[in-house]
Structures are given as structure tokens and as C-alpha cells.
Amino acid sequence: MEMGNRTSLTEFLLLGIPQTQGLENVTFVFFLAFYLLTLMGNLLILLAVLASSTLHTPMYFFLGNLSVFDIFFPSVSSPKMMLSLTGGSRTISYRGCASQIFFYHFLGCTECFLYTAMAYDRFAAICHPLRYTVIMSHRVCSVMMLGTWLGSCLHACVLTCLVFKLPYCGPNEVDNFFCDIPVVLPLACADTSQAQTVSFVNVGVVALVCFLLVLASYTRIVISVLKISSPEGRRRAFSTCSAHLTSILLFYGPVVLVYLRPASSPWLDSAVPVLNNIVTPSLNPLIYSLRNKDVKLALRKALSQGARDGGE
């Protein structure tokens, strides 16, 4: 079925973040600063992983992929929002709105799967160190990433088709700074109960399954670490997981607040995605690099090599 075959709307109007009228300049600076920080930080992490042979391991393979997704994820909504804050058009085409929903959930689901893969990687490294290279071989890592991409694409396609098979006749005002299911579905001129239920279950099942797998991995990790007799060994084992756990908390918090609560809240529907879309992707490079000596060393080597090459 072609999306919107009974839809009279050709565009939507993005109202932006509620209760920020008159603060356009401040909001623009906020968005721009975090967006540039996100791009710079994740590009530096990606550069360190690609340039250093010591970081060509499964752990940093997944970290490099996380940096790629953290570059694209805020790019789904931030450029359009910053354009509107500088006086540009606040409208977005019907297909543009559908594209935002697709890529938002495609990249978000991919990141969810990726955190689960990273938890399994830490489980294999700490609980089965002697078999780690066999368990997390190059082929296994590639298959996991391919499955992540394909599964996320299917997830996003289901949600996007579910939302845009409904007719939209007006009004066209999206009470947010980008198109997403909780703020677009109320604009449909048809019964949305089925779409709301299916989207709730779809997002809920993906998030819950991934969270349970992460929880199972870290339960086994904690049990194994507590068996280590050396305090220094326990500290080192926990330190390799602390950054990943911090990122998981920052990722799942907004998901629960926006999609897995029974009642809708316009303020949360707009404020929480700012954290999820803008702030969290900029924090991941700081979380992983500031506490990781290997990344900092590889980054310094890459930057110094680039400076020497540029000076020749």
C-alpha cells in the first residue's frame, strides 16, 4: 500500500520545542554547540579506531560503529531545527516527515542492538578470556553488525508504514522539532488506537529484549568479576564496563520516558528527545575517551602524525 494514498496534506509544520518562544537565538546556540561537539567528538573516536592497529579489536570495532551512528542520529533532526531557528521555513514535506521517522527509528534501533552486542562482547572478554578471539572472531562481528542493520531496517519500515498508511487531512502542526510517532499519530484523521498499540508493542519488545540481554550479560560479568581474587583485577574488569553501562543508562532513559509510558505529555515528548537526539550523542565520545587510555593514546598518535604530515 502506498503511504498516504488518502492523505490531503502535502507538508507538516514543525512547531519546535514548547515554551521556547523568544529564545530562538539561545536555542540555536545550544543546538549548534552540541551538534558540532557531537560531530567533532565522534569523528575523533572514529579516527583513533581506524588509525591505530592496536584498536582493531571487537570492542573498538563496535565503538567505531557507535561513533558512526552517533554522527548520523542527531543529523536526522538537528539541521532542520537549526534552519528554522535562523528564520528558515518550519515546514517539512510529507515524505520528509516519513523519512525522519524512518531514519530516527532505524538509527535508534541500530544503536539499541549495538549496545547489546557490546555487552555480549564484554561478557565474552571477561567470562571467557581464553576463547575470546574465537567467540568474537571477525566473521562473528561482521554477522552481528549485518544482523543489526537488517533488523533495524525491518523495525523502522514496520513503524513508518504503520504511521503513514493512515490518512492525514489536517491540522498539520507537529508539536515538536522533528517528526516522531507520538506527535504525528494524533494528527491522523482516523482511529489510531491500533497504530498506537502496535508501535508501543514494537518499540517495547525491541527495547525490553535488548535490555534483558544486556542485563543477562552483566549479571554473568559481575559474578565472574567477584570471583577474581585480586582487587586490582576486579577494578580493571569493572572499569572496562563502566563507560558502556553509562551510555546504556543515557540511551534507555529517554526511550522509557517517551515510548513506554501510558499517558502522553507534550513537554516530555519534546524535552526528552532533546536529551536523546542532541545531548547523549555528544557525551559518548567523552565517556569512552576520557576513561580509556588506549583511545587517548591512539588519538594523540593519530593527531601528531597528521600534524607532522601537514607540516611536511
Side-chain angles (χ1 to χ4, degrees), residues 94-116:
Y94 182 84
R95 293 186 180 275
C97 187
S99 298
Q100 277 196 339
I101 289 182
F102 173 81
F103 284 109
Y104 181 74
H105 285 276
F106 169 64
L107 294 169
C109 184
T110 301
E111 198 155 343
C112 185
F113 288 156
L114 187 55
Y115 281 127
T116 307

PDB file of all heavy atoms in Angstrom, residues 94-116:
ATOM      1  N   TYR A  94       5.621  15.964   3.367  1.00  0.00           N
ATOM      2  CA  TYR A  94       5.017  14.710   3.838  1.00  0.00           C
ATOM      3  C   TYR A  94       6.040  13.579   3.796  1.00  0.00           C
ATOM      4  O   TYR A  94       6.203  12.835   4.770  1.00  0.00           O
ATOM      5  CB  TYR A  94       3.807  14.386   2.966  1.00  0.00           C
ATOM      6  CG  TYR A  94       3.046  13.140   3.360  1.00  0.00           C
ATOM      7  CD1 TYR A  94       2.087  13.183   4.358  1.00  0.00           C
ATOM      8  CD2 TYR A  94       3.290  11.936   2.716  1.00  0.00           C
ATOM      9  CE1 TYR A  94       1.376  12.040   4.713  1.00  0.00           C
ATOM     10  CE2 TYR A  94       2.584  10.788   3.064  1.00  0.00           C
ATOM     11  CZ  TYR A  94       1.635  10.843   4.064  1.00  0.00           C
ATOM     12  OH  TYR A  94       0.946   9.705   4.410  1.00  0.00           O
ATOM     13  N   ARG A  95       6.747  13.457   2.668  1.00  0.00           N
ATOM     14  CA  ARG A  95       7.764  12.406   2.551  1.00  0.00           C
ATOM     15  C   ARG A  95       8.967  12.689   3.444  1.00  0.00           C
ATOM     16  O   ARG A  95       9.613  11.775   3.944  1.00  0.00           O
ATOM     17  CB  ARG A  95       8.197  12.262   1.089  1.00  0.00           C
ATOM     18  CG  ARG A  95       7.093  11.728   0.181  1.00  0.00           C
ATOM     19  CD  ARG A  95       7.596  11.469  -1.222  1.00  0.00           C
ATOM     20  NE  ARG A  95       6.533  10.966  -2.077  1.00  0.00           N
ATOM     21  CZ  ARG A  95       6.191   9.684  -2.150  1.00  0.00           C
ATOM     22  NH1 ARG A  95       6.823   8.787  -1.416  1.00  0.00           N
ATOM     23  NH2 ARG A  95       5.215   9.305  -2.958  1.00  0.00           N
ATOM     24  N   GLY A  96       9.267  13.986   3.639  1.00  0.00           N
ATOM     25  CA  GLY A  96      10.362  14.334   4.533  1.00  0.00           C
ATOM     26  C   GLY A  96      10.054  13.923   5.962  1.00  0.00           C
ATOM     27  O   GLY A  96      10.933  13.453   6.700  1.00  0.00           O
ATOM     28  N   CYS A  97       8.796  14.103   6.371  1.00  0.00           N
ATOM     29  CA  CYS A  97       8.368  13.696   7.707  1.00  0.00           C
ATOM     30  C   CYS A  97       8.465  12.172   7.847  1.00  0.00           C
ATOM     31  O   CYS A  97       8.946  11.666   8.875  1.00  0.00           O
ATOM     32  CB  CYS A  97       6.939  14.171   7.953  1.00  0.00           C
ATOM     33  SG  CYS A  97       6.339  13.917   9.632  1.00  0.00           S
ATOM     34  N   ALA A  98       8.029  11.457   6.824  1.00  0.00           N
ATOM     35  CA  ALA A  98       8.129   9.989   6.850  1.00  0.00           C
ATOM     36  C   ALA A  98       9.585   9.551   6.913  1.00  0.00           C
ATOM     37  O   ALA A  98       9.934   8.590   7.626  1.00  0.00           O
ATOM     38  CB  ALA A  98       7.444   9.400   5.619  1.00  0.00           C
ATOM     39  N   SER A  99      10.456  10.261   6.199  1.00  0.00           N
ATOM     40  CA  SER A  99      11.883   9.924   6.215  1.00  0.00           C
ATOM     41  C   SER A  99      12.490  10.149   7.592  1.00  0.00           C
ATOM     42  O   SER A  99      13.317   9.356   8.054  1.00  0.00           O
ATOM     43  CB  SER A  99      12.635  10.762   5.169  1.00  0.00           C
ATOM     44  OG  SER A  99      12.177  10.482   3.869  1.00  0.00           O
ATOM     45  N   GLN A 100      12.080  11.232   8.256  1.00  0.00           N
ATOM     46  CA  GLN A 100      12.595  11.479   9.606  1.00  0.00           C
ATOM     47  C   GLN A 100      12.209  10.353  10.552  1.00  0.00           C
ATOM     48  O   GLN A 100      13.043   9.876  11.338  1.00  0.00           O
ATOM     49  CB  GLN A 100      12.075  12.813  10.134  1.00  0.00           C
ATOM     50  CG  GLN A 100      12.872  14.019   9.679  1.00  0.00           C
ATOM     51  CD  GLN A 100      12.572  15.252  10.526  1.00  0.00           C
ATOM     52  OE1 GLN A 100      11.545  15.351  11.190  1.00  0.00           O
ATOM     53  NE2 GLN A 100      13.480  16.211  10.491  1.00  0.00           N
ATOM     54  N   ILE A 101      10.963   9.914  10.495  1.00  0.00           N
ATOM     55  CA  ILE A 101      10.524   8.826  11.369  1.00  0.00           C
ATOM     56  C   ILE A 101      11.289   7.550  11.055  1.00  0.00           C
ATOM     57  O   ILE A 101      11.742   6.830  11.962  1.00  0.00           O
ATOM     58  CB  ILE A 101       9.002   8.607  11.251  1.00  0.00           C
ATOM     59  CG1 ILE A 101       8.252   9.764  11.908  1.00  0.00           C
ATOM     60  CG2 ILE A 101       8.584   7.277  11.860  1.00  0.00           C
ATOM     61  CD1 ILE A 101       6.747   9.625  11.895  1.00  0.00           C
ATOM     62  N   PHE A 102      11.453   7.254   9.766  1.00  0.00           N
ATOM     63  CA  PHE A 102      12.170   6.028   9.395  1.00  0.00           C
ATOM     64  C   PHE A 102      13.604   6.050   9.909  1.00  0.00           C
ATOM     65  O   PHE A 102      14.048   5.117  10.588  1.00  0.00           O
ATOM     66  CB  PHE A 102      12.153   5.844   7.872  1.00  0.00           C
ATOM     67  CG  PHE A 102      13.030   4.695   7.420  1.00  0.00           C
ATOM     68  CD1 PHE A 102      12.565   3.395   7.492  1.00  0.00           C
ATOM     69  CD2 PHE A 102      14.321   4.927   6.954  1.00  0.00           C
ATOM     70  CE1 PHE A 102      13.372   2.319   7.099  1.00  0.00           C
ATOM     71  CE2 PHE A 102      15.128   3.872   6.563  1.00  0.00           C
ATOM     72  CZ  PHE A 102      14.656   2.570   6.637  1.00  0.00           C
ATOM     73  N   PHE A 103      14.356   7.100   9.584  1.00  0.00           N
ATOM     74  CA  PHE A 103      15.768   7.121   9.955  1.00  0.00           C
ATOM     75  C   PHE A 103      15.957   7.278  11.458  1.00  0.00           C
ATOM     76  O   PHE A 103      16.927   6.765  12.019  1.00  0.00           O
ATOM     77  CB  PHE A 103      16.494   8.239   9.199  1.00  0.00           C
ATOM     78  CG  PHE A 103      16.762   7.906   7.772  1.00  0.00           C
ATOM     79  CD1 PHE A 103      16.055   8.539   6.747  1.00  0.00           C
ATOM     80  CD2 PHE A 103      17.692   6.945   7.426  1.00  0.00           C
ATOM     81  CE1 PHE A 103      16.285   8.222   5.425  1.00  0.00           C
ATOM     82  CE2 PHE A 103      17.929   6.617   6.097  1.00  0.00           C
ATOM     83  CZ  PHE A 103      17.229   7.262   5.095  1.00  0.00           C
ATOM     84  N   TYR A 104      15.032   7.978  12.118  1.00  0.00           N
ATOM     85  CA  TYR A 104      15.130   8.115  13.568  1.00  0.00           C
ATOM     86  C   TYR A 104      15.029   6.747  14.239  1.00  0.00           C
ATOM     87  O   TYR A 104      15.829   6.401  15.118  1.00  0.00           O
ATOM     88  CB  TYR A 104      14.028   9.047  14.070  1.00  0.00           C
ATOM     89  CG  TYR A 104      14.049   9.273  15.556  1.00  0.00           C
ATOM     90  CD1 TYR A 104      15.010  10.077  16.150  1.00  0.00           C
ATOM     91  CD2 TYR A 104      13.096   8.672  16.381  1.00  0.00           C
ATOM     92  CE1 TYR A 104      15.022  10.291  17.518  1.00  0.00           C
ATOM     93  CE2 TYR A 104      13.094   8.880  17.748  1.00  0.00           C
ATOM     94  CZ  TYR A 104      14.067   9.689  18.310  1.00  0.00           C
ATOM     95  OH  TYR A 104      14.074   9.881  19.669  1.00  0.00           O
ATOM     96  N   HIS A 105      14.058   5.939  13.809  1.00  0.00           N
ATOM     97  CA  HIS A 105      13.878   4.627  14.423  1.00  0.00           C
ATOM     98  C   HIS A 105      14.866   3.604  13.876  1.00  0.00           C
ATOM     99  O   HIS A 105      15.248   2.671  14.602  1.00  0.00           O
ATOM    100  CB  HIS A 105      12.434   4.163  14.230  1.00  0.00           C
ATOM    101  CG  HIS A 105      11.465   4.875  15.116  1.00  0.00           C
ATOM    102  ND1 HIS A 105      11.221   4.486  16.413  1.00  0.00           N
ATOM    103  CD2 HIS A 105      10.715   5.992  14.912  1.00  0.00           C
ATOM    104  CE1 HIS A 105      10.351   5.310  16.966  1.00  0.00           C
ATOM    105  NE2 HIS A 105      10.027   6.229  16.083  1.00  0.00           N
ATOM    106  N   PHE A 106      15.287   3.753  12.649  1.00  0.00           N
ATOM    107  CA  PHE A 106      16.321   2.862  12.103  1.00  0.00           C
ATOM    108  C   PHE A 106      17.625   3.029  12.874  1.00  0.00           C
ATOM    109  O   PHE A 106      18.217   2.054  13.350  1.00  0.00           O
ATOM    110  CB  PHE A 106      16.530   3.171  10.618  1.00  0.00           C
ATOM    111  CG  PHE A 106      17.744   2.501  10.033  1.00  0.00           C
ATOM    112  CD1 PHE A 106      17.839   1.128   9.953  1.00  0.00           C
ATOM    113  CD2 PHE A 106      18.806   3.265   9.552  1.00  0.00           C
ATOM    114  CE1 PHE A 106      18.969   0.510   9.411  1.00  0.00           C
ATOM    115  CE2 PHE A 106      19.931   2.662   9.014  1.00  0.00           C
ATOM    116  CZ  PHE A 106      20.009   1.286   8.943  1.00  0.00           C
ATOM    117  N   LEU A 107      18.087   4.266  13.031  1.00  0.00           N
ATOM    118  CA  LEU A 107      19.342   4.515  13.733  1.00  0.00           C
ATOM    119  C   LEU A 107      19.199   4.243  15.227  1.00  0.00           C
ATOM    120  O   LEU A 107      20.123   3.727  15.862  1.00  0.00           O
ATOM    121  CB  LEU A 107      19.796   5.958  13.491  1.00  0.00           C
ATOM    122  CG  LEU A 107      20.179   6.280  12.040  1.00  0.00           C
ATOM    123  CD1 LEU A 107      20.360   7.780  11.850  1.00  0.00           C
ATOM    124  CD2 LEU A 107      21.457   5.544  11.648  1.00  0.00           C
ATOM    125  N   GLY A 108      18.041   4.598  15.801  1.00  0.00           N
ATOM    126  CA  GLY A 108      17.835   4.342  17.218  1.00  0.00           C
ATOM    127  C   GLY A 108      17.817   2.857  17.534  1.00  0.00           C
ATOM    128  O   GLY A 108      18.419   2.416  18.520  1.00  0.00           O
ATOM    129  N   CYS A 109      17.139   2.073  16.701  1.00  0.00           N
ATOM    130  CA  CYS A 109      17.092   0.627  16.908  1.00  0.00           C
ATOM    131  C   CYS A 109      18.473   0.000  16.677  1.00  0.00           C
ATOM    132  O   CYS A 109      18.880  -0.908  17.403  1.00  0.00           O
ATOM    133  CB  CYS A 109      16.060   0.000  15.964  1.00  0.00           C
ATOM    134  SG  CYS A 109      15.825  -1.772  16.191  1.00  0.00           S
ATOM    135  N   THR A 110      19.193   0.503  15.680  1.00  0.00           N
ATOM    136  CA  THR A 110      20.538   0.010  15.423  1.00  0.00           C
ATOM    137  C   THR A 110      21.435   0.233  16.634  1.00  0.00           C
ATOM    138  O   THR A 110      22.215  -0.646  17.027  1.00  0.00           O
ATOM    139  CB  THR A 110      21.141   0.718  14.195  1.00  0.00           C
ATOM    140  OG1 THR A 110      20.316   0.478  13.051  1.00  0.00           O
ATOM    141  CG2 THR A 110      22.542   0.206  13.894  1.00  0.00           C
ATOM    142  N   GLU A 111      21.306   1.417  17.235  1.00  0.00           N
ATOM    143  CA  GLU A 111      22.109   1.717  18.419  1.00  0.00           C
ATOM    144  C   GLU A 111      21.713   0.814  19.585  1.00  0.00           C
ATOM    145  O   GLU A 111      22.570   0.372  20.358  1.00  0.00           O
ATOM    146  CB  GLU A 111      21.947   3.190  18.793  1.00  0.00           C
ATOM    147  CG  GLU A 111      23.034   3.694  19.702  1.00  0.00           C
ATOM    148  CD  GLU A 111      23.238   5.200  19.590  1.00  0.00           C
ATOM    149  OE1 GLU A 111      22.771   5.792  18.609  1.00  0.00           O
ATOM    150  OE2 GLU A 111      23.873   5.758  20.493  1.00  0.00           O
ATOM    151  N   CYS A 112      20.435   0.527  19.704  1.00  0.00           N
ATOM    152  CA  CYS A 112      19.960  -0.378  20.750  1.00  0.00           C
ATOM    153  C   CYS A 112      20.580  -1.773  20.573  1.00  0.00           C
ATOM    154  O   CYS A 112      21.085  -2.374  21.534  1.00  0.00           O
ATOM    155  CB  CYS A 112      18.438  -0.452  20.700  1.00  0.00           C
ATOM    156  SG  CYS A 112      17.681  -1.419  22.025  1.00  0.00           S
ATOM    157  N   PHE A 113      20.546  -2.286  19.353  1.00  0.00           N
ATOM    158  CA  PHE A 113      21.157  -3.581  19.062  1.00  0.00           C
ATOM    159  C   PHE A 113      22.671  -3.538  19.289  1.00  0.00           C
ATOM    160  O   PHE A 113      23.271  -4.513  19.759  1.00  0.00           O
ATOM    161  CB  PHE A 113      20.868  -3.991  17.618  1.00  0.00           C
ATOM    162  CG  PHE A 113      19.449  -4.405  17.367  1.00  0.00           C
ATOM    163  CD1 PHE A 113      18.904  -4.320  16.099  1.00  0.00           C
ATOM    164  CD2 PHE A 113      18.644  -4.877  18.390  1.00  0.00           C
ATOM    165  CE1 PHE A 113      17.590  -4.691  15.854  1.00  0.00           C
ATOM    166  CE2 PHE A 113      17.335  -5.254  18.169  1.00  0.00           C
ATOM    167  CZ  PHE A 113      16.807  -5.164  16.894  1.00  0.00           C
ATOM    168  N   LEU A 114      23.271  -2.408  18.941  1.00  0.00           N
ATOM    169  CA  LEU A 114      24.720  -2.275  19.071  1.00  0.00           C
ATOM    170  C   LEU A 114      25.153  -2.314  20.532  1.00  0.00           C
ATOM    171  O   LEU A 114      26.158  -2.941  20.884  1.00  0.00           O
ATOM    172  CB  LEU A 114      25.183  -0.978  18.413  1.00  0.00           C
ATOM    173  CG  LEU A 114      26.690  -0.738  18.311  1.00  0.00           C
ATOM    174  CD1 LEU A 114      27.386  -1.896  17.614  1.00  0.00           C
ATOM    175  CD2 LEU A 114      26.968   0.564  17.572  1.00  0.00           C
ATOM    176  N   TYR A 115      24.407  -1.649  21.406  1.00  0.00           N
ATOM    177  CA  TYR A 115      24.716  -1.718  22.840  1.00  0.00           C
ATOM    178  C   TYR A 115      24.616  -3.154  23.349  1.00  0.00           C
ATOM    179  O   TYR A 115      25.392  -3.571  24.219  1.00  0.00           O
ATOM    180  CB  TYR A 115      23.767  -0.815  23.629  1.00  0.00           C
ATOM    181  CG  TYR A 115      24.126   0.642  23.588  1.00  0.00           C
ATOM    182  CD1 TYR A 115      23.186   1.603  23.206  1.00  0.00           C
ATOM    183  CD2 TYR A 115      25.409   1.080  23.925  1.00  0.00           C
ATOM    184  CE1 TYR A 115      23.513   2.955  23.173  1.00  0.00           C
ATOM    185  CE2 TYR A 115      25.736   2.422  23.890  1.00  0.00           C
ATOM    186  CZ  TYR A 115      24.785   3.350  23.516  1.00  0.00           C
ATOM    187  OH  TYR A 115      25.115   4.682  23.479  1.00  0.00           O
ATOM    188  N   THR A 116      23.660  -3.907  22.811  1.00  0.00           N
ATOM    189  CA  THR A 116      23.519  -5.309  23.207  1.00  0.00           C
ATOM    190  C   THR A 116      24.724  -6.125  22.743  1.00  0.00           C
ATOM    191  O   THR A 116      25.246  -6.962  23.498  1.00  0.00           O
ATOM    192  CB  THR A 116      22.232  -5.897  22.607  1.00  0.00           C
ATOM    193  OG1 THR A 116      21.118  -5.057  22.941  1.00  0.00           O
ATOM    194  CG2 THR A 116      21.970  -7.292  23.127  1.00  0.00           C
TER     195      THR A 116
END
